[in-house]
Amino acid sequence: MADEELRAEVRSYVDAVWDDVVKDIDYLVQVESVEDLPHASEGMPYGPAPYEALSRGLEVAKRLGLDAHDYGGHIGYADLPGASEKQIATIAHTDIVPLGTGWHFEPLKVTRKDGYLIGRGVLDDKGPFILSLYAAHFFVEQAKRTGKKLPYTLRCLVGCNEETTMADVEWYLAHYPEPDFLFSPDADFPLICGEKGLYGGVFTTAPIASAIVQFDAGTASNAIPGLAQLTLHADAASLPAADGIEIGSVGEGLALLTAHGKGGHASMPEGTRNAIGMLVSYLLENGLVAGEEKRFFELEQKIFCASDGSGLGIACTDEKFGALTCCGGVIHLVDGRFEQTLDARYPTSVTGAELDAKLTALAAEYGVRYTPERAVEPFYISPDSPEIQTLVSAYNEITGHDDKPFTIGGGTYARHFRNACAFGPHDSRIADPDWVGIEHGPDEGIREDQLKLALEVYIVSIAHLMELSL
């Protein structure tokens, strides 16, 4: 089929199914599919809600004519069998980060407003997951008309543990062979060919005397909080005003401080304002902490003073990935102990072991324990490979752009596979209205026409991938 004829057929298909696409996205968004290990069980290894979202995703896949299966709740797949057992695959996920605070729209339903879809997961990654199923459904319908199988099996992998440890894909790769090529619709266009290393750890104090009564802020270590609150022993009326800090009384001698920042994804700190960091600065600037508590918050300030890690002495960069980024995403006060998470995305000019050593030594200077939790090496695939060139060419042909693959600080499923990449659907160059949030933040949203474009790109890309010799 000629490219123009294919594209015309794809555009017609996308228009015909679009309302159903939005309904199915909403069907998944209704599930608060946050990892819930305390309630995990046999067949539901990540908890009941992630399993419910996985089940709903597979239900949609079956309705769209795919051969869908649940691997004991670990992960799912939906196939369109081809003439060969070799596989071209997609992988998307139906789990989400916690809802968090600051929403102006209902997070667990899809709101259509002024050409946008709003709701937790519409962008990351329930919306793109539904696109992957409808892309496969195009070929289901094509096979019905022509009676011909695709050259390769088309597999849609359904993840449900991406936002935490990606145990789902690790389980899959431990039990089944890799697809011959795979892309994940969980990123930006044109195409992501490399991802920084993923790093995390926790700073923990000993039990200390504290002026603070309660300080639990942030929803996930890989999200920059836009809202944070703490309660401390202080006369609210005597506390000085500060930009972005709301001060209220919650009882005699108790003040509630609420910081209003700007949240976002840990890998993209530019343009954000960490609400925890705002409270840390306020406490220190106004002399509201002392002794060991003050020492801890002085360490805290090193985390929050710069997103490139320079305050912690871990700043570095390289040519492929650019600068390291880091953020403090979650803080807890438990039994007199402060616990602060650290999330960093690092280039090839440093290793996880080096970060461990530097941060452990720094913490010791402040009488704090540092516990490393993860260090995943950077991922990179050549932008000149035939599969990558096929996807980028399809995107550029449809959009009229001349874009090139690039690298990111985020972590996607792609890094777990030898021959894989992350491919749309978001375009970071689009200037969204202020009322539209980003992934991991409140009012998460994406333009409908961007999703429609992505569905067209995915179908044409899969058609061209099927022409390659794998």
Side-chain angles (χ1 to χ4, degrees), residues 147-184:
K148 296 180 180 179
K149 289 186 174 183
L150 291 171
Y152 308 114
T153 293
L154 177 58
R155 170 162 289 190
C156 299
L157 284 163
V158 190
C160 51
N161 189 237
E162 193 269 355
E163 294 292 5
T164 52
T165 62
M166 298 195 191
D168 49 358
V169 74
E170 291 177 2
W171 184 94
Y172 181 80
L173 291 173
H175 292 83
Y176 296 92
E178 292 192 27
D180 294 273
F181 177 72
L182 172 147
F183 71 81
S184 178

Side-chain angles (χ1 to χ4, degrees), residues 87-107:
Q87 291 178 2
I88 289 172
T90 63
I91 184 169
H93 63 91
T94 57
D95 62 311
I96 56 172
V97 297
L99 302 181
T101 56
W103 286 80
H104 301 90
F105 298 87
E106 169 56 52

Side-chain angles (χ1 to χ4, degrees), residues 30-231:
Q30 293 169 21
V31 184
E32 193 174 352
S33 48
V34 178
E35 182 186 72
D36 183 14
L37 296 183
H39 295 97
S41 63
E42 184 71 24
M44 301 181 186
Y46 317 119
Y51 178 74
E52 172 65 19
L54 171 64
S55 298
R56 289 193 181 198
L58 294 173
E59 175 191 330
V60 174
K62 289 178 182 177
R63 174 162 44 80
L64 294 177
L66 299 171
D67 180 24
H69 298 270
D70 167 12
Y71 282 133
H74 293 280
I75 196 169
Y77 75 88
D79 280 357
L80 174 58
S84 166
E85 291 185 359
K86 287 189 174 183
Q87 291 178 2
I88 289 172
T90 63
I91 184 169
H93 63 91
T94 57
D95 62 311
I96 56 172
V97 297
L99 302 181
T101 56
W103 286 80
H104 301 90
F105 298 87
E106 169 56 52
L108 295 177
K109 65 172 287 188
V110 170
T111 299
R112 296 177 96 167
K113 175 178 168 61
D114 299 340
Y116 281 81
L117 302 182
I118 307 292
R120 173 62 85 225
V122 294
L123 173 57
D124 184 19
D125 191 37
K126 293 177 177 179
F129 164 68
I130 292 295
L131 297 188
S132 71
L133 296 185
Y134 274 86
H137 179 251
F138 173 87
F139 296 100
V140 170
E141 295 299 303
Q142 185 184 72
K144 288 179 181 178
R145 291 194 309 273
T146 65
K148 296 180 180 179
K149 289 186 174 183
L150 291 171
Y152 308 114
T153 293
L154 177 58
R155 170 162 289 190
C156 299
L157 284 163
V158 190
C160 51
N161 189 237
E162 193 269 355
E163 294 292 5
T164 52
T165 62
M166 298 195 191
D168 49 358
V169 74
E170 291 177 2
W171 184 94
Y172 181 80
L173 291 173
H175 292 83
Y176 296 92
E178 292 192 27
D180 294 273
F181 177 72
L182 172 147
F183 71 81
S184 178
D186 185 16
D188 288 348
F189 281 134
L191 183 144
I192 292 166
C193 63
E195 302 172 7
K196 289 179 181 176
L198 305 178
Y199 183 84
V202 179
F203 295 94
T204 307
T205 69
I208 56 178
S210 176
I212 296 172
V213 177
Q214 182 273 337
F215 196 177
D216 292 286
T219 57
S221 61
N222 62 351
I224 296 169
L227 182 73
Q229 292 183 321
L230 66 81
T231 304

Side-chain angles (χ1 to χ4, degrees), residues 20-35:
D20 290 332
V21 170
V22 176
K23 289 177 184 176
D24 285 333
I25 294 173
D26 180 62
Y27 185 51
L28 285 185
V29 168
Q30 293 169 21
V31 184
E32 193 174 352
S33 48
V34 178
E35 182 186 72

Side-chain angles (χ1 to χ4, degrees), residues 225-306:
L227 182 73
Q229 292 183 321
L230 66 81
T231 304
L232 77 159
H233 293 288
D235 176 14
S238 68
L239 295 178
D243 177 46
I245 305 290
E246 180 182 346
I247 303 170
S249 176
V250 288
E252 186 175 352
L254 289 177
L256 175 67
L257 305 183
T258 304
H260 299 274
K262 185 175 182 181
H265 195 287
S267 68
M268 297 177 285
E270 185 175 355
T272 65
R273 190 180 186 193
N274 194 309
I276 297 175
M278 294 168 64
L279 291 177
V280 167
S281 295
Y282 185 87
L283 292 171
L284 291 172
E285 289 168 5
N286 293 286
L288 298 173
V289 287
E292 291 301 308
E293 188 174 36
K294 180 181 178 182
R295 287 187 72 199
F296 169 70
F297 280 101
E298 288 172 343
L299 173 60
E300 285 278 274
Q301 196 163 48
K302 290 183 175 293
I303 298 173
F304 294 103
C305 69

